[in-house]
Amino acid sequence: MSGSNEDRMSGSTGRPAGRRSALVPRTIAGQMFAVLGMIVLLLVAGAVASVVTLARNDSENLARMRALAVAETFAHAPGVLPALKSRDPSAVLQPIAQETQRRTHVDYIVVTNTKGVRYTHPNPAEIGKSITGPLWPATAGRAFTDRVPGQTLRSPSIRAVVPVMDAKGTVVGLVNSGVTIASVSGTVNRQLPILFGAAACALALATAGVAGASRRLRRQTHGLGPTEITRMYEHHDAVLHAVREGVLIVDNNGTLLLANDEARRLLDLPPDAQQRHVADLGLAPSVARLLAEGRVAADEVHQSADRFLAVNQQPTRSRGRTLGSVATLRDTTELRALAGQATKSRERLKLLYDASVVIGTTLDVTRTAEELAQAALPRFADFVTVDLFDSVLHGDEPNQENTALRRTASASAQDQRPLYQAGQLVSFSPSAPQAQSLTLGKPRLETDLVRAPETGEPRNPAHTRWILEQGMRSLITVPLRARNTVLGVTSFYRNGQLAPFDEDDVSTAEELVGRAAVCVDNARRYAREHAMSASLQRSLLPGDLPEQNAVDAAYRYVPAQSGVGGDWFDVIPLSGARVALVVGDVVGHGVHAAATMGLLRTTVLNFSALDLAPDELLTHLDELVIRLGQDEDHRSHEKGAAATGGTGIIGATCLYAIYDPISRHCALARAGHPAPALVHADGTVHFPEVPGGPPLGLGGFPFETVDIQLSENSEIVLYTDGLIESRRDDIDIGLERLCQALAHPGRPPEQTCDAVLDALLPTGRGRRADDIALLVARTRALDAAAVVVWDVPDDPAAVADIRAKATTQLSEWGLDEAAFTTELIVSELITNAIRYAAAPIHLRLVRDRTLICEVSDASSTSPHLRRSATSDEGGRGLFLVAQLAQRWGTRYTAHGKTIWAEQPLPSAGL
């Protein structure tokens, strides 16, 4: 942070930071440290200079005193005077002088005669020589000292000369003692480290003090220098007095510390307001109390004179201690004039938002009109009516020639009685506001309905009387317009409880009705599409199930809550007394799904006529779905991206089962459809393992047929996924409920259908999110006496014998009238098999609702019906069979083919 502050400071001086001298301190703390450092250094330098000067003077005095003391002591020693008077003074005095010099730590002791000739000397070679320097004060009997330059001893020294006198006071010799100043000043030099150490400690203490003061000052000034602080103060002062909000700073005692110009203007403060208590400033009591308390305030509005002030106040704290408070004042007098309009706009937006949530929750025209009427109460109107053209209620476009309106919805906030009840035709006079709104397609405002009849305009007397009786005071009529089509008119009434409508309310009513009109039109369009889809689906689903003896069947179809869907079922009689049971499901709802369902059901009917196995039929159906999808994609590509919502199949599932009442075998295959439920005669329920296979239209995956042996009176239950799946329950729960509903043997299929729907639909047979198709088939077994089978030898001569056996069997069944026709059919079919097919050959006669004749062989060659020429000897066999039989055809088996022909039973055989 300090670095960034220094960068900011260097940038604020107006010159590059690189040009500033590194010796110039950049902060107050740096300047303080530099000043204190210089003071400490000057003090230390002065102290050292003083010590050195004093040490030098003291060293010289000490040297003078030591030299004089040693010289006087030596001169007054008892043996000195006799030695001077002896014949060889040097011999006596030299040893004594050297020993005394060593013990007294002087540089030399020289004894001379009065003329200065040396008797002793530290260097014996100098003995006998004369010394230099003045000696007259000593020769005169007075001791003295002088300073001797350091020539011989290489250092300045102090010399003391003391006379040696005899008893008579005559000077007989002189004692010279010398001490160098350097030897004495060493003691003083040993005191200098202590002095410098003390100086260093003082400098360290000064540095620590400056560092502490620097940190505190840096925290308080945020690392800013004097220039930056000055500039910041100038800027803050300029901003404080230029801002258009009043600013007040008050301490804990309620004393005003600062007030900017705007605060002085808003509160009309006296010039000497600062440093005075807020209670003495003549403020409004509420404002003064708020400032004195210092509590937190957020946009509190207080009146001061003729102004309304919004006050915000926050306490100021430092290190957890409250120092006072800062308050800002904002003049809201002009804003209060707009507050009413803002509140009204906010209420209008809230009304429109709430209305958008509750209007259009269903695709029902009447319900949508009721939601519009209820949405305006009681915040916008006291009474609301919605009148629509009669054709709109039926899903048609409004008929401009037929202007009859029907009261669709009305709502009252105070239980007012409407003039027209819901469902009644409404009549308005041409001059009525409702009629004018419909004619012009614009809203109409009546601010005073009480005075309106007095204008002389022709009105409906009944309607005028109703307005007066119910106390209605104002009215807004708005046409319901959607996609440039007027669907009806909405009337909003107010009585004396609310203020009369104004022009702003007209725009609100238009917005409210405009949103509802789109929902009404969507509901109308949906009603029309739903009616078309329902009509189409009813025409495509089977009406009455075909008559057959293989199963006893019942069905139920429950449309989805969102409209018709693509579920279908079918019971298709097949050759050989067999029956095909089909259930399918097309993804989606509406006309598209219904049309797709019809296409697939028709395709299955056509494919079933070929007597295909279930897996082969699903394979052909899957190929057809793929081809139809490719054609639809091609058409959409040619029409461009706008060509959406085509008739191509968008996904389907199917379950196809064939039941043979003779063998009681059931062959099943499914394409992405739920497995069927099998209910045995003892009441046990299970779901056979039928390979699922992919949904129709994916391609590339084979289907697989499963054969199941069933006992008589078993139930095969086929259904779509809407029966067992729901948004609230898992599919396993649906299957469990289905099992519980089916586990009741002995019931007719009709009762089984009712029980299943009651168990799996929460509201009985109520509608769900997906449509439901349910098919229950109770199996029957054909009496063994009604079926005969003969093996046919591969010999044309055997035809007569087989024909005779067939005639005999018909006689036993009481079908003698059909014997001739049957003989011809059997003869032609067996002859063709012997001539063109391969053994083994079988003949089977079945007595069911029709008389069925079947010839099976081991060949897979299909016979073809053709018209023979007059000259042809053959080729008329199948043509003859087709003429004699009611139906005929060929079905292929795993071991060959079967050619069959059906004849209606004579009346005697019924």
Side-chain angles (χ1 to χ4, degrees):
M1 179 181 294
S2 62
S4 61
N5 289 331
E6 291 176 359
D7 294 340
R8 185 171 63 252
M9 290 186 295
S10 64
S12 63
T13 57
R15 59 181 181 179
R19 295 183 180 180
R20 177 178 292 181
S21 174
L23 299 178
V24 178
R26 301 183 180 182
T27 62
I28 295 178
Q31 296 177 4
M32 291 178 57
F33 179 76
V35 172
L36 290 178
M38 293 178 61
I39 293 175
V40 171
L41 291 178
L42 290 176
L43 291 176
V44 170
V48 171
S50 299
V51 168
V52 171
T53 302
L54 292 175
R56 182 179 300 172
N57 294 333
D58 290 345
S59 297
E60 187 172 347
N61 293 333
L62 183 61
R64 192 180 302 276
M65 293 173 60
R66 180 183 296 181
L68 183 60
V70 171
E72 287 183 348
T73 301
F74 193 89
H76 293 88
V80 173
L81 183 60
L84 290 173
K85 294 182 178 183
S86 66
R87 297 180 61 182
D88 190 3
S90 297
V92 178
L93 295 176
Q94 178 68 15
I96 298 173
Q98 290 182 348
E99 181 65 18
T100 302
Q101 176 184 345
R102 184 180 63 80
R103 292 187 176 186
T104 57
H105 301 288
V106 295
D107 294 321
Y108 60 89
I109 296 177
V110 178
V111 181
T112 65
N113 57 17
T114 55
K115 295 181 180 179
V117 178
R118 299 185 181 94
Y119 293 136
T120 63
H121 196 276
N123 185 6
E126 297 295 328
I127 295 175
K129 295 181 181 180
S130 298
I131 63 175
T132 61
L135 298 175
W136 63 268
T139 57
R142 187 175 69 253
F144 71 94
T145 61
D146 60 359
R147 182 184 181 88
V148 180
Q151 296 178 355
T152 303
L153 299 177
R154 298 182 181 177
S155 176
S157 61
I158 299 299
R159 184 186 66 167
V161 182
V162 177
V164 179
M165 293 182 295
D166 56 8
K168 297 179 181 180
T170 303
V171 177
V172 296
L174 301 176
V175 177
N176 296 267
S177 176
V179 178
T180 58
I181 298 175
S183 63
V184 177
S185 63
T187 302
V188 177
N189 293 336
R190 286 191 295 269
Q191 297 176 356
L192 289 179
I194 299 175
L195 180 63
F196 285 115
C201 291
L203 185 60
L205 291 175
T207 303
V210 170
S214 174
R215 284 194 299 271
R216 182 174 181 180
L217 188 60
R218 188 164 52 249
R219 286 196 303 268
Q220 294 178 351
T221 63
H222 301 286
L224 300 178
T227 303
E228 286 71 23
I229 292 176
T230 301
R231 184 177 292 106
M232 181 179 294
Y233 172 78
E234 294 173 351
H235 291 172
H236 287 187
D237 186 68
V239 171
L240 183 66
H241 293 287
V243 70
R244 298 303 298 171
E245 277 195 3
V247 180
L248 300 173
I249 300 179
V250 183
D251 65 8
N252 283 331
N253 299 323
T255 302
L256 180 62
L257 302 180
L258 184 144
N260 68 345
D261 296 341
E262 184 66 10
R264 293 178 179 275
R265 184 185 69 83
L266 295 176
L267 298 176
D268 196 17
L269 296 177
D272 58 346
Q274 293 186 178
Q275 304 302 324
R276 292 175 57 183
H277 197 276
V278 293
D280 302 332
L281 300 178
L283 304 177
S286 61
V287 177
R289 183 166 55 254
L290 175 62
L291 296 176
E293 293 174 355
R295 60 179 175 83
V296 177
D299 286 333
E300 290 189 9
V301 179
H302 296 266
Q303 185 173 3
S304 177
D306 57 345
R307 296 188 180 95
F308 290 93
L309 304 178
V311 182
N312 290 274
Q313 184 168 261
Q314 288 289 338
T316 58
R317 294 182 175 87
S318 178
R319 299 181 181 179
R321 185 168 60 91
T322 302
L323 303 179
S325 61
V326 176
T328 60
L329 312 173
R330 186 174 66 256
D331 191 355
T332 62
T333 305
E334 297 179 356
L335 295 178
R336 289 181 64 87
L338 302 175
Q341 298 181 5
T343 302
K344 188 174 181 179
S345 299
R346 183 169 59 253
E347 293 176 351
R348 173 178 178 269
L349 293 176
K350 184 67 168 57
L351 172 66
L352 295 177
Y353 172 78
D354 294 341
S356 65
V357 173
V358 301
I359 297 177
T361 58
T362 64
L363 289 173
D364 183 83
V365 175
T366 303
R367 179 57 185 165
T368 304
E370 293 173 350
E371 291 171 346
L372 168 60
Q374 292 291 340
L377 302 179
R379 291 180 290 178
F380 184 71
D382 295 302
F383 189 80
V384 182
T385 62
V386 180
D387 304 313
L388 300 178
F389 289 110
D390 202 33
S391 58
V392 174
L393 297 174
H394 296 88
D396 299 327
E397 294 287 342
N399 189 351
Q400 301 297 331
E401 297 179 358
N402 184 8
T403 59
L405 293 172
R406 190 173 296 275
R407 176 62 48 85
T408 308
S410 63
S412 172
Q414 301 175 2
D415 298 328
Q416 287 95 341
R417 180 182 58 84
L419 179 62
Y420 299 98
Q421 299 296 328
Q424 291 182 337
L425 291 176
V426 180
S427 175
F428 294 108
S429 63
S431 60
Q434 291 85 350
Q436 294 181 2
S437 293
L438 291 173
T439 303
L440 301 177
K442 297 180 180 180
R444 178 70 183 272
L445 171 64
E446 292 286 349
T447 58
D448 192 351
L449 289 176
V450 177
R451 297 182 58 186
E454 301 175 359
T455 59
E457 297 181 1
R459 298 292 179 98
N460 187 337
H463 190 254
T464 302
R465 185 168 54 253
W466 176 83
I467 290 174
L468 297 177
E469 290 176 355
Q470 301 300 325
M472 299 303 171
R473 295 294 182 266
S474 58
L475 166 68
I476 294 178
T477 61
V478 182
L480 280 93
R481 178 188 293 274
R483 300 177 180 91
N484 295 325
T485 302
V486 177
L487 308 176
V489 64
T490 303
S491 302
F492 300 94
Y493 295 90
R494 280 185 182 179
N495 55 23
Q497 301 295 329
L498 296 174
F501 287 116
D502 55 21
E503 293 294 338
D504 293 336
D505 294 325
V506 174
S507 61
T508 303
E510 281 188 290
E511 184 73 18
L512 186 62
V513 174
R515 298 185 181 188
V518 175
C519 298
V520 170
D521 189 60
N522 291 337
R524 177 189 64 83
R525 291 169 176 264
Y526 171 77
R528 181 179 60 186
E529 181 180 348
H530 179 73
M532 294 172 57
S533 301
S535 177
L536 175 62
Q537 189 178 42
R538 283 193 299 269
S539 65
L540 295 177
L541 285 175
D544 295 331
L545 296 180
E547 295 181 355
Q548 41 77 36
N549 290 335
V551 295
D552 182 12
Y555 67 91
R556 295 290 185 272
Y557 176 78
V558 181
Q561 183 177 2
S562 58
V564 296
D567 292 7
W568 93 92
F569 61 91
D570 218 336
V571 177
I572 307 172
L574 302 178
S575 64
R578 299 171 303 143
V579 66
L581 305 175
V582 188
V583 169
D585 185 3
V586 176
V587 177
H589 300 90
V591 176
H592 184 197
T596 303
M597 177 269 293
L599 176 63
L600 293 184
R601 179 172 177 261
T602 302
T603 303
V604 172
L605 284 172
N606 293 332
F607 284 153
S608 65
L610 301 177
D611 271 329
L612 299 175
D615 57 337
E616 294 180 2
L617 185 142
L618 292 180
T619 300
H620 288 295
L621 190 62
D622 181 56
E623 293 174 354
L624 174 65
V625 171
I626 293 175
R627 187 162 56 252
L628 292 175
Q630 292 174 349
D631 293 342
E632 178 63 24
D633 292 341
H634 180 68
R635 286 193 297 269
S636 299
H637 179 71
E638 290 180 348
K639 294 180 180 180
T644 59
T647 60
I649 298 177
I650 57 177
T653 63
C654 184
L655 171 63
Y656 188 80
I658 299 177
Y659 174 69
D660 188 351
I662 300 175
S663 63
R664 289 181 283 109
H665 274 82
C666 182
L668 304 97
R670 61 191 180 112
H673 201 83
L678 296 182
V679 185
H680 298 283
D682 59 356
T684 58
V685 181
H686 82 283
F687 298 90
E689 294 292 336
V690 182
L696 299 175
L698 293 183
F701 298 93
F703 301 98
E704 185 176 349
T705 299
V706 174
D707 290 325
I708 303 174
Q709 183 71 29
L710 297 177
S711 61
E712 190 175 4
N713 294 325
S714 298
E715 284 185 345
I716 306 175
V717 181
L718 286 71
Y719 52 89
T720 55
D721 56 1
L723 180 68
I724 58 176
E725 292 182 359
S726 67
R727 297 176 180 175
R728 295 175 297 179
D729 299 329
D730 188 69
I731 187 173
D732 294 335
I733 299 177
L735 291 175
E736 182 179 357
R737 292 177 179 174
L738 179 60
C739 289
Q740 294 175 357
L742 294 175
H744 297 280
R747 291 181 307 195
E750 290 288 344
Q751 295 183 8
T752 301
C753 289
D754 293 336
V756 169
L757 294 182
D758 291 341
L760 275 80
L761 297 186
T763 57
R765 299 186 186 183
R767 298 187 299 178
R768 296 171 58 137
D770 195 7
D771 51 347
I772 298 172
L774 174 64
L775 179 62
V776 178
R778 182 182 295 275
T779 62
R780 297 173 180 172
L782 200 61
D783 189 1
V787 180
V788 293
V789 180
W790 296 290
D791 294 333
V792 179
D794 189 10
D795 185 0
V799 174
D801 183 45
I802 295 299
R803 188 166 56 237
K805 289 181 180 181
T807 302
T808 302
Q809 183 63 46
L810 293 179
S811 178
E812 292 178 1
W813 285 343
L815 302 176
D816 295 322
E817 295 182 6
F820 178 74
T821 304
T822 303
E823 286 181 1
L824 292 177
I825 293 175
V826 169
S827 178
E828 290 296 333
L829 294 181
I830 292 178
T831 301
N832 286 339
I834 294 173
R835 181 178 299 179
Y836 302 109
I841 301 173
H842 305 282
L843 171 64
R844 186 172 76 169
L845 295 180
V846 180
R847 182 179 182 273
D848 191 33
R849 288 183 175 271
T850 59
L851 179 61
I852 304 172
C853 177
E854 297 180 346
V855 176
S856 302
D857 56 59
S859 174
S860 60
T861 302
S862 175
H864 297 282
L865 178 66
R866 65 186 180 89
R867 184 178 298 274
S868 300
T870 305
S871 59
D872 291 342
E873 296 182 359
R876 298 178 178 85
L878 286 181
F879 178 77
L880 180 62
V881 172
Q883 295 298 318
L884 296 176
Q886 183 180 9
R887 291 195 311 155
W888 77 279
T890 304
R891 68 173 181 269
Y892 294 91
T893 64
H895 306 288
K897 69 176 181 299
T898 298
I899 301 176
W900 55 270
E902 294 182 358
Q903 306 173 61
L905 294 179
S907 58
L910 294 178

